[in-house]
Amino acid sequence: MTGNVPTREMNPNLPVTSDEIAADVKRCADAGASVFHIHARDPQQKPTLNPKVFQEIVQKIKAAAPDVIIQLSTGGRAGKDWEDRAAPIRLLPEMGSFTTGSNNLPGMIYENSPQFIEFLAGVFHQTGVKPEIEVFEAGMINNALFLQKKGLLTPPLHFNFVLGAPGAMPGTARNLVFLTDSIPPGSTWTATGIGKAEIPLAAMSIAMGGHVRVGMEDNLFLPDGSPASNAKLTETVVAIANKIGRQIASPDEARALLSLNPQHRDRVKTA
Ligand code: ZN
């Protein structure tokens, strides 16, 4: 919905406050989206890992669109402290994002040391929150399988291939085929293209039988170059899926596809 990098100055459609995020979730849910990857901002639009801000966003999403699946970010742009990055998971959302390795991103190292990813895998394990394994580079799959071997991740695993970020794997068909061939049978997967790769990679993923993530965290423009909104990006991939003959999952169908624990549906701690 928001990510850590975009600002309203870059695109006025960006939802920043809890009210704006909840209203935009509702628009996207009505357009067909079922899983929502959430970042939090402070009043100056700066990324924050403050659990109180996350709780306020979660409460408002639950009021606006009670059925959707909420996935909170543990991304490293908002802070480096291990406990701070784990804090959104301790709120017990149905899902959380989990990057199982390090890579370069514009202007920074996205740092996820072996010690940190083992710690965070332990938090997912203890809480029962379903991790979405964010794969920016192929070795991150191996790191996830190692954590599975240690008993910290439980199959079936769910992977998100994040391609096209400057500093990591480009968003090409060859890379997507290679990565989907590299995960264990029975895993589920989603593709996320950054910038201009967003919609082409989504189209490839839809054609290949995968799932898709789109949104303003990753890309601020529609394919015709006009300013995007989260709802317009959702409508764009829903139209592609419809043309190809792939059906859109409801939130409950997505829960079944992702093997989410039905008892965790409304477990998340609100404000
Ligand atoms: Zn994110």
Side-chain angles (χ1 to χ4, degrees):
M1 299 306 288
T2 309
N4 280 327
V5 177
T7 63
R8 210 191 296 284
E9 289 68 39
M10 296 175 191
N11 182 323
N13 297 324
L14 186 79
V16 175
T17 66
S18 54
D19 284 320
E20 290 164 355
I21 292 172
D24 214 24
V25 164
K26 168 78 171 124
R27 283 190 282 271
C28 295
D30 289 344
S34 52
V35 183
F36 288 84
H37 173 77
I38 301 294
H39 288 254
R41 301 288 184 92
D42 71 13
Q44 282 74 46
Q45 291 193 67
K46 289 220 175 71
T48 176
L49 290 164
N50 183 343
K52 288 201 162 29
V53 182
F54 273 101
Q55 276 183 290
E56 194 183 300
I57 295 168
V58 165
Q59 177 157 330
K60 288 182 178 169
I61 292 174
K62 281 279 179 192
D67 292 336
V68 304
I69 299 164
I70 295 176
Q71 178 190 105
L72 299 184
S73 170
T74 60
R77 276 186 188 268
K80 285 193 190 289
D81 181 84
W82 287 13
E83 277 300 337
D84 286 350
R85 287 186 60 186
I89 303 310
R90 297 197 194 281
L91 298 176
L92 309 178
E94 284 189 273
M95 298 181 75
S97 61
F98 180 32
T99 304
T100 49
S102 303
N103 57 277
N104 282 358
L105 288 176
M108 67 177 286
I109 300 171
Y110 186 19
E111 193 179 319
N112 297 290
S113 69
Q115 294 83 355
F116 173 69
I117 63 177
E118 191 165 330
F119 159 78
L120 197 52
V123 176
F124 278 104
H125 184 70
Q126 288 152 21
T127 55
V129 173
K130 173 93 178 189
E132 175 173 277
I133 300 160
E134 312 292 344
V135 171
F136 291 73
E137 292 287 353
M140 296 184 188
I141 296 173
N142 297 52
N143 292 342
L145 298 181
F146 178 68
L147 294 166
Q148 181 186 322
K149 208 167 159 187
K150 290 192 114 179
L152 293 169
L153 295 180
T154 310
L157 302 181
H158 177 61
F159 294 91
N160 176 26
F161 304 119
V162 186
L163 305 181
M169 286 179 86
T172 62
R174 184 175 67 163
N175 285 342
L176 187 59
V177 169
F178 163 61
L179 292 169
T180 54
D181 278 350
S182 305
I183 57 176
S187 307
T188 49
W189 63 273
T190 291
T192 298
I194 305 298
K196 284 196 168 116
E198 181 168 68
I199 301 299
L201 202 71
M204 289 177 221
S205 177
I206 292 167
M208 288 167 64
H211 307 293
V212 297
R213 159 172 140 177
V214 291
M216 298 182 74
E217 168 168 356
D218 307 317
N219 167 40
L220 295 171
F221 300 97
L222 295 172
D224 67 4
S226 62
S229 68
N230 285 314
K232 281 184 184 164
L233 291 167
T234 306
E235 286 162 9
T236 302
V237 290
V238 166
I240 294 169
N242 286 336
K243 290 271 188 206
I244 288 180
R246 292 281 312 276
Q247 293 187 337
I248 307 303
S250 69
D252 280 343
E253 287 166 339
R255 285 184 173 91
L257 287 167
L258 295 167
S259 306
L260 301 188
N261 183 338
Q263 291 178 338
H264 293 177
R265 187 191 165 109
D266 295 309
R267 196 173 60 138
V268 63
K269 295 178 187 168
T270 52

